Amino acid sequence: MKIKSIGGEFGLICRIKNKVKLYSKDVIAGVGDDAAILKHGKNHYLLFKTGMLVENVHFSLKYSTSKQIGMKAIEKNVSDIAAMGGLPKYTVVSLGLPKNIEIDVIDGVIDGINKKCRQYRIDSVGGDISSSKEIMISVAMLGFVEKKYLALRSGAKADDLIFCSGDTGSSGVGLELLKQNVKGKSIKKHLEPQSRLDLARKLVKIGINSMIDVSDGVASEIRHICNESKVGAVIYADKIPISQNTIQDAKKLSKNPLDFALYGGEDFELIFTANKNKLKQLKKHDVKVIGEIVDKKDGVKLVNDGRKLKLKSGFEHFN
């Protein structure tokens, strides 16, 4: 039996989740959200997250500098902590390195990691090093969140509005431009993505019901929220935020920018749901309503050109 036969990446995650046994009462939530949630004092939870970058899967030295790779490794994990409403605090970084790698490349990776740690005031407190055929960077990160501000994927409620921050699809377009050796403004968004940590903190203080970051495309993230919250959703294609730069760059590729927004990845924007009575407060920020939560029996649908279609999944490893 192959991974693809059990549903690819997310089928494998479910299989692992079903095999994992939790022994501590201090675990509030384990597998299934952007970070694990652990008890920590009277007013806070500890957030525990890990993320991996693998050469020729998540990055290529043909396109990225080693410093950009180190930056992205931290940014990826900060984005997940942000999606829980928290603040990153500590990290440990493990490196898999080919034995013939140039020291300048390693220095670049570390410089990128240090740059982002300075930006977010994260203490890098250790890690591990091993030989490997290709570069691998594994980041484990600890953060904290006030109990009253914790955001989960599982909190969406019927009649919630669905919001998306910033603009989506730019990272996916940027990657395709790089592959085809075409210039465009979206390339920087792929090479140097930015998490929305500051925005996430503002959102949880307003009061939202669920949240996730856009790692694998809008479609996948909507499905994750719906699966964990046991609800359905209606998404309006013409409401999904896509910048003019992304539209123009997609045109150079003769591609539909909507496909990059729905099924691309690494935009690190935020998708969240909130009660309609929060709309006035939320509209003051860089967010846009893209749909609404409905009953689970109605499924997860995309309205595009007047047609209601089943929303497909976004990027998945192994598929």
Side-chain angles (χ1 to χ4, degrees), residues 299-313:
V300 184
K301 301 294 174 60
L302 175 72
V303 177
N304 193 7
D305 292 331
R307 296 181 299 159
K308 188 177 279 190
L309 311 167
K310 184 177 179 181
L311 186 65
K312 297 185 291 183
S313 295

Side-chain angles (χ1 to χ4, degrees), residues 67-87:
K67 184 173 182 178
Q68 287 171 329
I69 295 163
M71 290 164 59
K72 183 182 279 192
I74 295 297
E75 203 73 57
K76 173 185 176 77
N77 287 273
V78 170
S79 185
D80 284 323
I81 296 291
M84 306 292 290
L87 291 166

Side-chain angles (χ1 to χ4, degrees), residues 7-19:
E9 176 186 359
F10 301 119
L12 180 60
I13 290 171
C14 287
R15 188 180 180 90
I16 292 170
K17 183 178 180 179
N18 290 335
K19 288 177 175 288

Side-chain angles (χ1 to χ4, degrees), residues 134-190:
E134 295 179 302
I135 299 170
M136 295 188 292
I137 307 170
S138 180
V139 175
M141 189 170 288
L142 292 175
F144 297 92
V145 62
E146 301 90 336
K147 290 182 178 180
K148 61 183 177 180
Y149 294 146
L150 177 67
L152 301 171
R153 298 177 181 181
S154 58
K157 298 175 175 59
D159 295 327
D160 272 6
L161 295 175
I162 303 172
F163 296 80
C164 184
S165 70
D167 64 89
T168 56
S170 56
S171 179
V173 171
L175 176 58
E176 197 62 29
L177 290 171
L178 288 166
K179 287 180 176 179
Q180 297 194 29
N181 197 27
V182 178
K183 293 182 179 180
K185 293 182 178 179
S186 300
I187 288 174
K188 187 177 175 75
K189 293 289 289 259
H190 175 72

